[in-house]
Amino acid sequence: MAASLGVLGEPTSKNVLSCKLLVVGAGGIGCELLKNLVLTGFHDIVVIDLDTIDVSNLNRQFLFRKEHVGKSKAQVAKESALNFNPNAKITAYHDSIMSPDYGVDFFKKFTMVMNALDNRAARNHVNRMCLAADIPLIESGTAGYLGQVTVIKKGLTECYECQPKPPQKSFPGCTIRNTPSEPIHCVVWAKHLFNQLFGEEDPDQDVSPDTEDPELTAEAGQTALEQKEQSNVAGGIERKSTRTWAMETGYDAKKIFNKLFRDDIKYLLSMETLWKKRRPPNPLDFDNLPHTECSEPSTVMRDQRVWSMKECAQVFSDCLAGLKKEFANQGENGMLVWDKDDELAMDFVASTSNIRSHIFGINQKTKFDIKSMAGNIIPAIATTNAIIAAVIVMEGLKVLNGRIEECKQIYLNRQPNPRKKLLVPCALDKPSPKCYVCSSKPEVTVVLNTEKMTIKTLEDKILKSALGMVAPDVEIDDGKGTILISSEEGEMEENNDKFLSEFHVGNGSILKCDDFLQSYELKIIIAHKDKLEEDKEFDVVGDLSELHAKPLVEQPTNQNGGTTSHQEEEDDLMIVDEVEVIKSGTKRKADQEPDEINAKRPKSSGDHNDDIVIL
Amino acid sequence: MKQMANSAILIYGMGGLGIEIAKNIALAGVKNLTIQDCKLAEIQDLGTQFFLREEDVGKNRAEASSSRLAELNPYVSLSALKTGLDCDSDLSYLARYQCVILTEAPLKVQICVNNFCRQQTPQIKFISADVFGVCCGAFCDFGDNFEITDLDGEEPKEIFIEKISKGKPGVVSCFKNKMHGFDTGDHVTFREIYGMTALNGWTCQIKVLSPYMFEICDTTGEEFAPYKHGGIARQVKVSQNASFKSLEQEILNPSLLIPDLCRFEAPANIHLGFLALHRFNEKFKRFPKAWCVDDSSNLVSLAKGLNTELTNKVTTIDEDLLNVLSYTNTGCLSPLCAALGGFVAQEGIKAVTGKFTPLKQWLYLDCRDVINKEEATTPDMFTPRLVKQQLGYPQNKTKLSCVYPL
């Protein structure tokens, strides 16, 4: 406040004092951002965050203390920030920004919106809300030592969704615990299991079935819940932690195996709603393992072939015994730290993730592949958050001064390279005329099999998950205006299990989608294809012409073009916390094609392309 | 991060920048963190020093913020020193720290402390950093022979081998034409090779031939049996030594990092501006007044004089920048403290861990973009006025009104 006003001069200071700000997210970046804003003199701030404070947040989210664990992040952040300036007016909402309570009118109240988010869905949503309300948005993200800040203004700059992004690499807890569908889900689960048994116990890393899965509405899962209550009441025992239980068994491989891979899976199966649209898992019994073939002859190295179930179970038993010893050597309060270069720890994760994959009918992976997946989980770094939050405020001050065109997209690099670059400012790009969000007539092509795609899958996986809508209405552009999906509850549910083809939706059909909350209308052009490669259910293709340029039988996902695919291989980076580098896939992987790397590099204003990003 | 958990860091100056650095280092976790400051908290400190509150005004800044800082991480043992630092101070107590970070210290004191740090065995890593208005900068000196154990913090790359030729040099091809991602000059070690078993456990420097092939050592010798199958090549992190120059040497011949190529000369100009500010302070026993035209022209001429002393002279002196620096230097912008505080803390962590390549040696950042041009060019409109109530503090804190116009 005072000190910075001396720097800023009168007009800017006035703008700062009168400006109304919305800060979305009160996590790693959000805490730093709130502090900077309050100290810079911003007086009128609304902060919103859905989360409560977790022990694992305390090592970087410095507005929180141990006694705050379990409380609303937004509320505690507000109280702590008020200590820095008791006269600031901060309003905290412990709520999801995607709730219908925060419509376009809500957004219109603000001078500017600042994102400090941790997930793609909310970023997409806020992007659309700010476009609809025509409010400037400052978007940010960090991943380990990398970070990025960019400014989004309708009609002036690229929006958050103008460029296709690599698939999101962070997963909701219920996917990990209840409904894994990709190998990485099982790898994450296996690492959590390791920590639950031997490492730092983190309540966020629970490995048991999650009965609070949002998919389990009032009735669904009721049986499961009741069973659980009964067993608890009957036994008169409180729920034990996985570790306590495992220790009591003496890390008995058979007992642990049967709990994790038989009983817990049976329990999951009892949550029937989960499996209506999914392949249900198959529980395994330690004494009755299936004969699965080895993928490669045994001359191939152990790390490089997929193990059979029996091998997995054997490795699992051996690792448990070995880790038990190591764990005991750590003494009373000791624990093991998972390290991918530790053979036992790595074998443990490789075997357990493959057993789980087998149970859920997911492709198994070699230890080598699992190692690269498991090793790429990037921790959040406090200093990166601090720097990025500072850059957000500086860009915000430029926006306030009405000089949005001078704003930059700024990349923070790990360290200076020989070219001595650390914070790299790049000019903001113009909006993409083909963007399916911010162009004047947004449209997108979706490749799918109309005979196998149900209305429900269209709504959940395509419209909501891939295209970021919250409450879509959909009608077919067939002259009759046949309604497929309604955002009103209870209106069109009877359509849910029907296939698109039953409504005569075929190749070239057009669906008109409208999300009232986001004030967003989108035309979807259906491209029918009998079979997509890699068993994908669908492909979202940014631009129709690109699709026409190539025959449909060819792979329609194109890394350097305007396409996004839903289930790409999960290879390069896995994201935890508020970690998402927005557009720059700055983490290079040896096996990426060179053009893919180029595509993910941010564009620069002045000098082109030569090692600007990779420091 | 074992080294971190065993190291001791001292941060001098508990203003807006000092507290940012301290917060970040406390969160990252070191064994011992000492904060030192002799200044008493003033009302304007509250603008950037977030761990000071109104009731702390008049108390020692280090002492007043230490309890709130200590709450951040129970594993860090935190102590506060109330003594000042000048060239006559007994510096021997610094010997117990691996890294010393100075903020808000006069250039002369920085040089004294830097020289002391260099004389110790092992040398103490030294960082000094300051925020002046819209500009900020940091200087790192990690000694003559600083070992960097891990240049980039990346995971070592690993590839499967398809074939190794017998040749001088031998050539390795990658399995299934996967790209190896190595660079010429990398060190690579081998394991699980069948046939040419002599290579297992061997480390050698490579030369990249293509994304799928690279040359290794001479494999024609008898000990190298023909390659059969299998094998993994893994990159080996080789530690490197970096040599830093002292602050005294670097002042006149700075190794500058250039964060923004569009403004290539900005760091050199800020360097000059900072030297001029220190010179101004030595000469007038104060810093230039906010938005004062006389002081700013004084600063510009000091800078021009100093430029003649530099080994690498600044070719185009950016008078606009120097003016803005002079107008704003007594103010302190919180986001700039936060940004520099992030970088300096990261350098401090590099200093004690040897992980990641450190900055060599000066980093300057500015955010004059946040100042409107018309504000910067017509300073007359910034005649000091009484502080208005929006500031959040009562009007009777008159000290503010003289220094900081609103």
Side-chain angles (χ1 to χ4, degrees), chain A residues 159 161-163 431-443 542:
Chain A
C159 83
E161 294 167 90
C162 273
Q163 296 278 338
S432 159
K434 290 173 184 173
C435 176
Y436 68 79
V437 174
C438 72
S439 62
S440 55
K441 285 185 180 157
E443 60 177 56

Side-chain angles (χ1 to χ4, degrees), chain A residues 285-297:
Chain A
D285 192 296
F286 191 73
D287 293 324
N288 188 20
L289 290 170
H291 290 278
T292 50
E293 292 289 320
C294 285
S295 62
E296 310 254 359

Side-chain angles (χ1 to χ4, degrees), chain A residues 323-443:
Chain A
L323 289 168
K324 176 189 168 184
K325 251 185 232 156
E326 281 188 18
F327 187 56
N329 291 342
Q330 302 291 315
E332 180 110 6
N333 289 315
M335 59 178 180
L336 302 180
V337 177
W338 190 83
D339 180 353
K340 71 176 174 45
D341 291 321
D342 178 307
E343 282 297 309
L344 270 179
M346 189 56 233
D347 277 353
F348 178 84
V349 163
S351 60
T352 47
S353 64
N354 269 335
I355 297 169
R356 192 165 166 89
S357 289
H358 178 85
I359 288 170
F360 285 89
I362 300 164
N363 286 339
Q364 283 146 250
K365 292 276 178 182
T366 64
K367 178 181 161 192
F368 187 79
D369 287 338
I370 291 170
K371 188 169 172 179
S372 86
M373 288 155 96
N376 269 332
I377 296 174
I378 303 169
I381 309 277
T383 51
T384 312
N385 287 338
I387 297 166
I388 286 302
V391 175
I392 295 175
V393 178
M394 295 197 244
E395 292 305 303
L397 288 171
K398 286 194 231 169
V399 173
L400 266 190
N401 283 340
R403 291 181 299 139
I404 219 169
E405 62 289 345
E406 289 173 35
C407 285
K408 295 273 165 50
Q409 180 166 7
I410 294 177
Y411 297 89
L412 168 68
N413 292 300
R414 195 184 302 255
Q415 61 208 325
N417 66 344
R419 287 161 201 253
K420 301 184 174 178
K421 276 163 283 183
L422 195 64
L423 266 178
V424 185
C426 303
L428 291 169
D429 285 313
K430 292 266 173 277
S432 159
K434 290 173 184 173
C435 176
Y436 68 79
V437 174
C438 72
S439 62
S440 55
K441 285 185 180 157
E443 60 177 56

